[in-house]
Amino acid sequence: MTNTAYYHLPGLFEFYDFYKAFLPLYKEHRDYFYDWCEIGSIYGAPSDCIWGGGRVGFGDEEPQRVYELMREYGISARLTFSNLLLEKKHLSDKLGNRLCQMFETAAGTSIQRPENGVIIASDILLDYISRTYPGYYFVSSTTKVLTDFDELVKELDHAEFRYVVPDFRLNKSYDKLNQLTQVQKDKVEFLCNECCWFGCYDRKNCYENVSRKALLEECEDHICVSPTAERGYRFSDAMKNPGFIGIEDIQKTYLPSGFSNFKIEGRSLGSALILEFLLYYMTKPEYQLKVREEIYLDSSLDLF
């Protein structure tokens, strides 16, 4: 049994202003938030980074400011480099390399720094970054769409990965999940709030379309096959998803079974909805209005 849930939150570059307001509140009023959870990392990528994947076109904050904010609060920054279609010719990308140089955890430094990671889907990029910038840990991206449990186990046994994010449709495979070793369980990072249709058969093509757009290839927009696609993302819909993981699931099922890492999606959803995620997953009910008021009344923050 583990005692702490570590949340991996969206919007490293996408919601800088939001986290600049939220993190001081989280630090100064820790009693507002559940004592059984912590922020494990914040992930994201600049909008114009060709190594990016999962989402594209979001994230305009200056990287140096992002780096300094994460360092100030001792939070692990994860660069979302989950493009599925990278080739060797893309490894010289200036922005990707500049980000790797900036966020790389310096070994042997006397200055306290959080250890930063890279969310990755390409073996080519994994090999390049691990050789060129050895100060990172790696997370196997959900964009690989690991729906076969045996494939998930192989990925968990991959020495390069500290964490592996399986497809959300494996979230409730309790019989198989409970057979994992504790070492394997420590590496599983569940995607909690996915709104994608549970029966989707085209998820990999969707991610590949995003990868092409990140590479600036001309291609048509992916057409979602979900029967409720026109509704867009709604947290209330995500809660009805068979793969949804709520706080009661985390407390009563996953933590007692030895799992401790949980990913919240939402880089393209807007800061107002990110706040709702943090209220639901991290904030004690009696303080949710207080936190909401503190954030909404911050004159420097424009929630959308």
Side-chain angles (χ1 to χ4, degrees):
M1 178 176 180
T2 58
N3 297 318
T4 303
Y6 295 96
Y7 288 122
H8 304 279
L9 306 178
L12 182 63
F13 297 88
E14 298 84 350
F15 302 122
Y16 169 84
D17 288 334
F18 172 81
Y19 286 116
K20 188 176 180 182
F22 177 79
L23 292 177
L25 182 64
Y26 177 74
K27 180 179 180 180
E28 294 167 14
H29 298 281
R30 189 62 181 84
D31 56 306
Y32 290 179
F33 304 92
Y34 295 123
D35 59 6
W36 51 264
C37 68
E38 298 282 351
I39 298 175
S41 72
I42 301 177
Y43 66 92
S47 59
D48 55 348
C49 183
I50 68 170
W51 292 356
R55 296 292 181 269
V56 70
F58 303 92
D60 297 321
E61 190 53 56
E62 169 58 41
Q64 184 64 40
R65 297 179 70 191
V66 172
Y67 171 78
E68 290 172 357
L69 182 66
M70 294 301 102
R71 181 174 169 181
E72 178 182 357
Y73 288 96
I75 294 174
S76 176
R78 289 185 178 179
L79 301 172
T80 306
F81 291 162
S82 54
N83 195 304
L84 291 159
L85 304 177
L86 296 175
E87 301 176 22
K88 288 185 177 181
K89 65 182 180 181
H90 298 125
L91 299 179
S92 60
D93 178 67
K94 291 182 179 180
L95 177 56
N97 282 279
R98 181 165 73 90
L99 290 168
C100 282
Q101 292 170 358
M102 180 181 298
F103 284 84
E104 185 179 16
T105 308
T109 179
S110 60
I111 302 174
Q112 185 73 25
R113 299 182 182 181
E115 188 177 8
N116 295 328
V118 174
I119 302 174
I120 205 157
S122 163
D123 290 340
I124 293 173
L125 188 61
L126 172 63
D127 177 69
Y128 174 73
I129 295 179
S130 62
R131 287 186 292 103
T132 312
Y133 307 102
Y136 287 100
Y137 67 85
F138 294 98
V139 182
S140 176
S141 174
T142 192
T143 61
K144 294 181 179 180
V145 191
L146 298 175
T147 57
D148 181 272
F149 201 87
D150 290 338
E151 290 300 315
L152 170 61
V153 172
K154 290 179 182 179
E155 200 80 352
L156 291 170
D157 290 339
H158 196 307
E160 288 281 5
F161 297 128
R162 183 178 297 183
Y163 304 102
V164 175
V165 185
D167 188 85
F168 70 101
R169 286 163 289 197
L170 293 182
N171 284 357
K172 303 297 178 69
S173 300
Y174 298 130
D175 290 345
K176 293 181 179 180
L177 288 167
N178 287 330
Q179 291 178 16
L180 296 174
T181 67
Q182 189 57 52
V183 171
Q184 292 170 328
K185 289 180 178 181
D186 289 340
K187 296 175 74 171
V188 178
E189 185 176 311
F190 295 100
L191 181 56
C192 294
N193 62 329
E194 178 59 64
C195 193
C196 182
W197 178 35
F198 196 81
C200 181
Y201 52 83
D202 211 27
R203 191 168 171 83
K204 190 67 171 289
N205 287 333
C206 178
Y207 283 133
E208 288 183 355
N209 182 266
V210 173
S211 294
R212 292 189 183 92
K213 288 183 180 296
L215 293 172
L216 304 180
E217 295 182 10
E218 291 189 10
C219 58
E220 296 182 359
D221 290 339
H222 177 78
I223 299 176
C224 182
V225 298
S226 170
T228 60
E230 71 284 352
R231 290 170 58 86
Y233 185 97
R234 299 194 182 189
F235 195 23
S236 57
D237 288 345
M239 288 180 169
K240 299 174 185 176
N241 192 304
F244 178 73
I245 297 177
I247 58 171
E248 187 171 338
D249 298 314
I250 292 172
Q251 290 181 286
K252 295 184 178 181
T253 300
Y254 291 92
L255 289 179
S257 297
F259 297 98
S260 57
N261 288 283
F262 304 90
K263 180 175 183 176
I264 309 301
E265 75 165 19
R267 288 196 290 147
S268 63
L269 297 180
S271 51
L273 194 48
I274 299 304
L275 174 59
E276 293 304 315
F277 295 155
L278 300 190
L279 291 171
Y280 172 78
Y281 279 105
M282 299 182 63
T283 311
K284 297 174 182 177
E286 62 268 31
Y287 292 112
Q288 288 181 2
L289 179 58
K290 181 83 171 172
V291 172
R292 186 182 282 108
E293 288 177 335
E294 291 285 346
I295 296 298
Y296 272 94
L297 294 176
D298 189 319
S299 60
S300 67
L301 190 60
D302 183 20
L303 291 175
F304 58 93

